[in-house]
Amino acid sequence: MTSDIGPETGPVLELGPGTGPFTRALLSRGVREEDLTLIESDPDFAALLMRRFPAARIFEMDAVGLRHLSLFPRPVAGAAISGLPFRLISPNKTPAILEGVFANLRPGGALYQFTLGRRCPFDQSLLDRLDLEVARVGHTFRNFPPATVYRVARIKTLGTYDWRFA
């Protein structure tokens, strides 16, 4: 889940950290605690995270609120990780969460989504609407059901216009 992320990534946004297993993995990979911004909706988990990771920025809120909240003065996060159960989240909330995440990611940043099962939790129509592409970057069969990690990123567009292909 965290293998593509390190100190060179810069600030990292984590959705639904729960008790912090991915947070600890990020720290062990060299991400500075001060570079972590954790979004947790459960008040008990948020309080636990504040005790475990006092230097991290912790917001007790629903990730849907990211759509209308700038966590940083400009998009600076190099990556976001999420263990949110998007298959159980209302389909009306998913676009708002993704828009909020990508509003806080700098160009080239990506969302790493952990999901149970082998199928991507985001419909292709939603990815197309938000100009996002997805790639499976990891999996484990030791989990039941098997778990998969997807990398979701903005579709790279051509930087220049070539009239020959218009």
Side-chain angles (χ1 to χ4, degrees):
M1 175 70 169
T2 61
S3 63
D4 289 352
I5 303 171
E8 70 285 349
T9 305
V12 177
L13 175 63
E14 183 176 357
L15 307 179
T19 60
F22 294 142
T23 311
R24 282 190 294 278
L26 290 167
L27 293 172
S28 71
R29 296 197 53 77
V31 176
R32 297 177 331 143
E33 189 172 319
E34 331 38 83
D35 283 341
L36 295 173
T37 299
L38 312 177
I39 308 298
E40 178 56 59
S41 64
D42 183 279
D44 294 329
F45 284 154
L48 176 70
L49 293 166
M50 287 179 198
R51 287 192 305 275
R52 287 186 176 170
F53 310 106
R57 296 175 54 204
I58 300 168
F59 292 87
E60 184 185 322
M61 61 180 278
D62 188 324
V64 172
L66 289 174
R67 183 182 207 178
H68 303 292
L69 176 68
S70 295
L71 297 174
F72 310 100
R74 56 184 166 65
V76 296
I81 65 170
S82 166
L84 294 178
F86 278 100
R87 293 188 207 284
L88 302 176
I89 292 174
S90 164
N92 297 334
K93 292 183 176 184
T94 301
I97 294 170
L98 290 176
E99 287 171 4
V101 166
F102 282 92
N104 286 285
L105 287 179
R106 67 178 178 246
L111 165 66
Y112 294 86
Q113 175 64 43
F114 175 84
T115 189
L116 297 177
R118 302 184 81 189
R119 201 180 96 236
C120 179
F122 308 116
D123 291 333
Q124 188 61 50
S125 60
L126 174 61
L127 295 169
D128 291 343
R129 192 172 90 226
L130 298 176
D131 290 329
L132 301 173
E133 59 187 1
V134 66
R136 183 167 32 154
V137 295
H139 63 276
T140 180
F141 295 111
R142 290 182 283 184
N143 205 54
F144 185 78
T148 308
V149 177
Y150 290 94
R151 181 182 191 276
V152 183
R154 291 181 184 97
I155 293 175
K156 291 180 178 62
T157 57
L158 293 175
T160 59
Y161 178 76
D162 190 335
W163 61 269
R164 294 174 294 171
F165 299 107

